[in-house]
Amino acid sequence: MTESTLTAPFRYDVVGSLLRPTALKQAHAQLAAGDITAEAALRVQQTEIKHIVDEQVKLGLHAVTDGEFSRSWWHLDFLWGLTGVGKYDYHQSYKFKGDHTRTDNAELVGKVAFNPDHPFFKAFSYLQSIVPDGVLAKQTIPSPSMLFRDNRSDNWHQFYDSWDAYLDDLAKAYHETILHFYDLGCRYIQLDDTTWAFLISKLNDDQLSTADHDHYLQVAQDAVTVINALLADLPSDLTVTTHICRGNFKSTYLFSGSYDVVADYLGQLHYDGLFLEYDNQRAGGFDVLDRIWNGDAHKRIVLGLVTSKFPELEASDHLIARIHEAATKVPLANLALSTQCGFASTEEGNQLTEANQWAKLQLVIDTANKVWPEA
């Protein structure tokens, strides 16, 4: 096997979520209405997962996901599965540009801890059972920093004597969760994170008070502390990456701004790779990539140059030129290519077809093979 087939993140890689097929959406709606049993809905779900795994393998991806078909939200379903985290109606939606989401949210209902019966474990076990030899089953979960935001930790003082004690428990819960995924056979896991884009939007606000500026810098430092703590002492053959997301709902977005204000924090993270959104000017330029990479010969920066929001295909020559532009800041050997995000961070999905989705992934693969022939 070549070097690239052994090392994740791969030269061409998949972010995570895929468009939910009509049959899956119907089954979930029927289950919610009480028209079919959970067992019947699961059969449909697993059938559709098998189909999209086969499609990813057929394309030639070295790592595949289950499309996140077993969840409705990219982040909340996982958070609700942790011990000490509950579900409630926030009565406010996430205000995407031109659209609004459902009003579900998560809150602390006790001390945060690893849950050995987390439903994501069963979902991964099924994925692992259908992935062929030579292909990795990639698991995606939200970053623990997602519990810092949107009022999710407001009542921490009801359960902890200090904020640091809460962060310690959160890091431990994630560390033990990741180890359990490893025990189930997982060797590639990704922590998706909109916190950094949220901080970019706040720290670039000229009207921000000094107190609020200091608060957001502390959020950034807390994120680094918790993430590096959960990553410590994991098995050496486990790859852990992150995807820095700017919001992805029905082809809209939440946040804009250059990575500059958080680049030094991102450079401190002990991930094996960072998936960065760079599909349009909202992300700024490549001038800060060297600070994010931080000279780590082991780390790969995965450039999200192909948009997952719209069906139009980018020109491969343009993508190649942008990759070589990025290589003036980070060695080409430490770069890779992906779409900027998944195709359905929530079950609603982006405004493109499944055929468009596969064409986008094919473009990623074909372009990467031109830049890195060994891929």
Side-chain angles (χ1 to χ4, degrees), residues 222-345:
D222 286 346
V224 171
T225 298
V226 172
I227 290 166
N228 284 345
L230 73 89
L231 293 174
D233 301 318
L234 290 174
S236 60
D237 60 339
L238 173 65
T239 295
V240 186
T241 63
T242 189
H243 171 237
I244 308 302
C245 179
R246 293 167 182 265
N248 191 47
F249 174 72
K250 294 167 67 173
S251 296
T252 62
Y253 65 94
L254 278 171
F255 308 117
S256 298
S258 166
Y259 291 99
D260 178 68
V261 291
V262 298
D264 293 333
Y265 293 101
L266 295 178
Q268 297 175 50
L269 298 173
H270 297 162
Y271 286 117
D272 299 304
L274 291 90
F275 286 70
L276 301 180
E277 297 200 356
Y278 267 116
D279 60 325
N280 60 39
Q281 62 185 10
R282 285 190 297 107
F286 295 143
D287 52 309
V288 297
L289 277 182
D290 53 341
R291 290 163 55 199
I292 297 173
W293 176 58
N294 203 22
D296 186 346
H298 170 73
K299 185 177 295 181
R300 278 186 177 169
I301 301 296
V302 186
L303 301 171
L305 301 177
V306 176
T307 188
S308 66
K309 295 184 184 293
F310 306 109
E312 294 78 15
L313 286 176
E314 292 83 351
S316 184
D317 288 347
H318 176 67
L319 297 175
I320 292 171
R322 294 202 70 195
I323 293 169
H324 285 292
E325 180 187 353
T328 64
K329 290 293 183 179
V330 175
L332 192 63
N334 294 92
L335 296 174
L337 180 65
S338 72
T339 56
Q340 124 279 343
C341 194
F343 293 89
S345 299

Side-chain angles (χ1 to χ4, degrees), residues 166-185:
Y166 164 56
L167 296 184
D168 288 344
D169 268 7
L170 184 56
K172 182 180 179 183
Y174 261 77
H175 184 82
E176 293 177 357
T177 297
I178 290 173
L179 285 178
H180 193 69
F181 276 120
Y182 182 87
D183 290 342
L184 293 173

Side-chain angles (χ1 to χ4, degrees), residues 103-171:
T103 60
D104 297 337
N105 208 342
E107 64 178 348
L108 295 182
V109 295
K111 289 195 171 185
V112 179
F114 163 68
N115 175 13
D117 296 319
H118 198 299
F120 275 40
F121 295 140
K122 287 184 179 179
F124 176 79
S125 293
Y126 175 70
L127 174 63
Q128 179 77 347
S129 74
I130 61 172
V131 170
D133 292 342
V135 176
L136 288 182
K138 180 179 180 180
Q139 176 66 43
T140 61
I141 61 174
S143 167
S145 58
M146 297 308 301
L147 271 175
F148 299 173
R149 296 208 1 247
D150 301 316
N151 304 93
R152 294 177 192 133
S153 297
D154 284 358
N155 59 350
W156 64 268
H157 54 277
Q158 296 180 23
F159 312 106
Y160 291 95
D161 293 332
S162 70
W163 177 252
D164 287 344
Y166 164 56
L167 296 184
D168 288 344
D169 268 7
L170 184 56

Side-chain angles (χ1 to χ4, degrees), residues 178-195:
I178 290 173
L179 285 178
H180 193 69
F181 276 120
Y182 182 87
D183 290 342
L184 293 173
C186 184
R187 296 297 182 268
Y188 188 6
I189 193 163
Q190 176 178 294
L191 276 60
D192 296 320
D193 204 340
T194 59
T195 300

Side-chain angles (χ1 to χ4, degrees), residues 18 60 62 80 88 109 189 202 210 222 297 341 353 357 365 374:
L18 297 168
H62 301 307
W80 291 327
Y88 79 108
V109 295
I189 193 163
K202 294 298 184 182
T210 299
D222 286 346
C341 194
T353 67
Q357 168 183 268
I365 293 170
E374 81 281 4

